[in-house]
């Protein structure tokens, strides 16, 4: 089997950088990306967005990508969240790794007078000594003195000044983790914090084997993630030092280079299928045992949850979400299952409803189940 075939065989943790990987410099998402992400998730893989963006910058793009649940890593590994549509803010913070920013801020201000400093306020924005231009930072800004910025634990600090990268080693000596994003921009996090360290915490929580990990990215802050992943892929436009750190190189962001990687993680299906039918087909093909579709209603007639479950060792376990099933109806799912040519449901229009049965699980209220394969 090829490495891609091995990765397709069982669920993986798929770590994906955002900027330059899933989104271009103009915040455009290449055509087909959202659909591919839905199929990867329907195949049972855990998609984990892993970005240098702050949480305030992650949330809106995650919604655009259709990833509104599951784990995500932001601020270069400083913050891990669980995305959850039912949570008041749309997420819960799982871990926030802080450090004392005082030594590195004071050192930078001494060596580079006039340095701009931003300290992250998780989920809201930044405190800054000098305003940053619109678009430079995600979220809102509020003014603060350098002493104020240096006085409290921080998850992430940004330093910008012309040519500030030249003092990266000197700042690293303060104990902070320093990532030079470009010649004029440094990101600072706690000692030992990076995307890889945070992702490994997610992997262990999900009980995914270390050899079932995939990572795609394009930045210097992705190199540790590449070393961590069993299969690492650099975008074609990434700097040479980033490409050399990866196992493979794909196309550029302009060429939608992430798409062939995502497609390599799912079985081939009929391109003419609707999104819903395609996801059902992929979920049924990748389920390791007999599969059943389970749905739950929200406050209205549309479905609030839609998942494929599988029978393993005599117990039903969750296999994968069906993203396009959320917000639709049971009748639409029946039609999609027939379109995908799944063995069930059988019967004439109006008579298949008898195949649905009530089901209660420990993960939520009573729902309905429709077999997709013969037991």
């Amino acid at each position: 089997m090829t490495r891609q075939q091995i990765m397709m065989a069982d669920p993986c943790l798929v770590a994906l950088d955002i900027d330059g990987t899933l989104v271009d410099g103009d915040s455009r998402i290449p055509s087909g990306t959202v659909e591919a992400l839905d199929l990867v998730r329907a195949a049972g893989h855990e998609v984990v967005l892993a970005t240098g963006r702050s949480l305030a910058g992650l949330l809106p793009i995650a919604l655009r990508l259709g990833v509104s649940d599951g784990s995500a890593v932001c601020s270069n590994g400083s913050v891990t969240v669980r995305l959850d549509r039912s949570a008041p803010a749309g997420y819960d913070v799982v871990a926030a790794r802080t450090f004392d920013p005082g030594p590195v801020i004071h050192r930078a201000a001494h060596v580079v007078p006039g340095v701009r400093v931003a300290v992250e306020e998780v989920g809201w924005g930044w405190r800054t000594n000098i305003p940053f231009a619109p678009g430079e930072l995600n979220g809102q800004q509020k003014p603060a003195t350098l002493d104020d910025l240096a006085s409290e634990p921080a998850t992430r600090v940004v330093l910008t000044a012309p040519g500030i990268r030249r003092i990266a080693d000197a700042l690293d000596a303060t104990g902070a983790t320093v990532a030079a994003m470009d010649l004029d921009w440094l990101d600072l996090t706690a000692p030992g914090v990076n995307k890889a360290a945070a992702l490994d915490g997610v992997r262990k929580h999900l009980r995914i084997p270390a050899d079932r990990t995939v990572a795609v990215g394009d930045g210097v802050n992705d190199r540790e993630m590449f070393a961590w992943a069993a299969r690492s892929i650099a975008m074609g436009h990434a700097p040479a030092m980033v490409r050399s750190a990866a196992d493979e190189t794909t196309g550029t962001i302009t060429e939608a280079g992430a798409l062939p990687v995502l497609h390599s993680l799912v079985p081939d299906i009929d391109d003419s299928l609707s999104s819903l039918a395609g996801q059902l087909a992929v979920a049924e093909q990748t389920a390791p045992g007999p599969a059943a579709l389970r749905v739950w209603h929200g406050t209205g007639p549309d479905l609030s949850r839609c998942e494929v479950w599988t029978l393993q060792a005599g117990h039903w376990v969750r296999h994968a979400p069906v993203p396009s099933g959320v917000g639709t109806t049971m009748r639409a799912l029946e039609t999609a299952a027939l379109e995908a040519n799944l063995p069930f449901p059988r019967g004439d229009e109006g008579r298949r409803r008898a195949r649905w049965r009530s089901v209660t699980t420990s993960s939520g209220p009573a729902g309905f189940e429709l077999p997709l394969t013969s037991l």
Side-chain angles (χ1 to χ4, degrees):
M1 295 175 72
T2 65
R3 176 179 289 186
Q4 288 88 343
Q5 289 172 326
I6 292 171
M7 286 295 179
M8 192 189 302
D10 292 303
C12 295
L13 189 159
V14 184
L16 300 171
D17 174 50
I18 292 179
D19 295 289
T21 300
L22 301 177
V23 179
D24 69 15
D26 295 318
S27 295
R28 294 175 301 198
I29 299 172
S31 177
T33 300
V34 174
E35 293 79 4
L37 287 170
D38 285 345
L39 288 175
V40 169
R41 297 174 66 213
H45 301 304
E46 291 283 347
V47 169
V48 181
L49 300 177
T51 179
R53 287 179 176 230
S54 64
L55 178 56
L58 164 74
L59 294 173
I61 200 66
L63 289 176
R64 290 178 57 202
L65 290 166
V67 183
S68 56
D69 56 68
S71 297
V73 169
C74 47
S75 295
N76 284 325
S78 291
V79 180
T80 299
V81 298
R82 177 73 186 176
L83 301 174
D84 183 353
R85 287 188 301 268
S86 66
Y91 66 89
D92 292 309
V93 175
V94 175
R97 304 161 183 89
T98 63
F99 70 110
D100 176 6
V104 72
I105 289 176
H106 290 311
R107 182 72 175 271
H110 175 73
V111 178
V112 186
V115 63
R116 290 190 301 168
V117 181
V119 174
E120 180 181 25
E121 293 279 335
V122 176
W124 181 85
W126 301 82
R127 293 180 294 135
T128 62
N129 68 324
I130 300 171
F132 282 60
E136 283 190 292
L137 296 172
N138 302 125
Q140 303 180 63
Q141 299 181 43
K142 60 184 176 182
T145 66
L146 279 177
D147 287 340
D148 287 339
L149 296 177
S151 65
E152 298 179 7
T155 51
R156 177 183 169 207
V157 173
V158 167
L159 302 177
T160 69
I164 197 171
R165 185 169 65 183
R166 72 182 186 276
I167 67 166
D169 290 343
L171 297 181
D172 190 69
T174 66
T177 297
V178 181
M181 306 308 292
D182 60 35
L183 185 64
D184 304 327
W185 185 293
L186 299 178
D187 265 14
L188 300 99
T189 54
V193 167
N194 52 49
K195 291 184 183 182
L199 286 166
D200 205 53
V202 174
R203 178 191 69 79
K204 290 175 180 176
H205 175 74
L206 296 173
R207 298 182 180 179
I208 294 175
D211 62 355
R212 309 291 310 156
T213 51
V214 181
V216 190
D218 75 315
V220 293
N221 59 338
D222 293 320
R223 289 177 296 170
E224 295 90 352
M225 182 172 75
F226 288 168
W228 163 84
R231 179 188 175 198
S232 57
I233 305 98
M235 299 292 288
H237 62 270
M241 65 186 303
V242 176
R243 297 197 305 272
S244 65
D247 300 321
E248 309 166 31
T249 299
T250 186
T252 65
I253 183 65
T254 303
E255 298 165 334
L259 285 184
V261 180
L262 297 175
H263 290 154
S264 73
L265 297 170
V266 299
D268 292 332
I269 58 171
D270 186 346
D271 290 341
S272 68
L273 292 177
S274 65
S275 294
L276 182 54
Q279 291 163 34
L280 288 176
V282 164
E284 192 274 336
Q285 288 183 47
T286 56
L293 181 66
R294 289 186 175 180
V295 301
W296 290 263
H297 286 92
T299 56
D302 294 337
L303 302 175
S304 61
R305 285 173 57 195
C306 183
E307 303 168 348
V308 168
W309 287 53
T310 185
L311 188 62
Q312 290 284 283
H315 299 281
W316 286 97
V317 295
R318 182 182 183 273
H319 170 58
V322 181
S324 290
V326 176
T328 187
T329 63
M330 294 165 70
R331 178 60 61 86
L333 286 166
E334 294 173 358
T335 301
L338 288 174
E339 180 188 353
N341 199 31
L342 299 180
F344 287 88
R346 295 173 179 164
D348 297 328
E349 184 74 23
R351 301 175 64 181
R352 293 191 298 273
R353 191 57 53 88
R355 297 257 178 210
W356 291 94
R357 67 183 183 89
S358 296
V359 61
T360 302
T361 69
S362 59
S363 62
F368 296 92
E369 179 180 271
L370 179 70
L372 296 178
T373 53
S374 303
L375 295 180

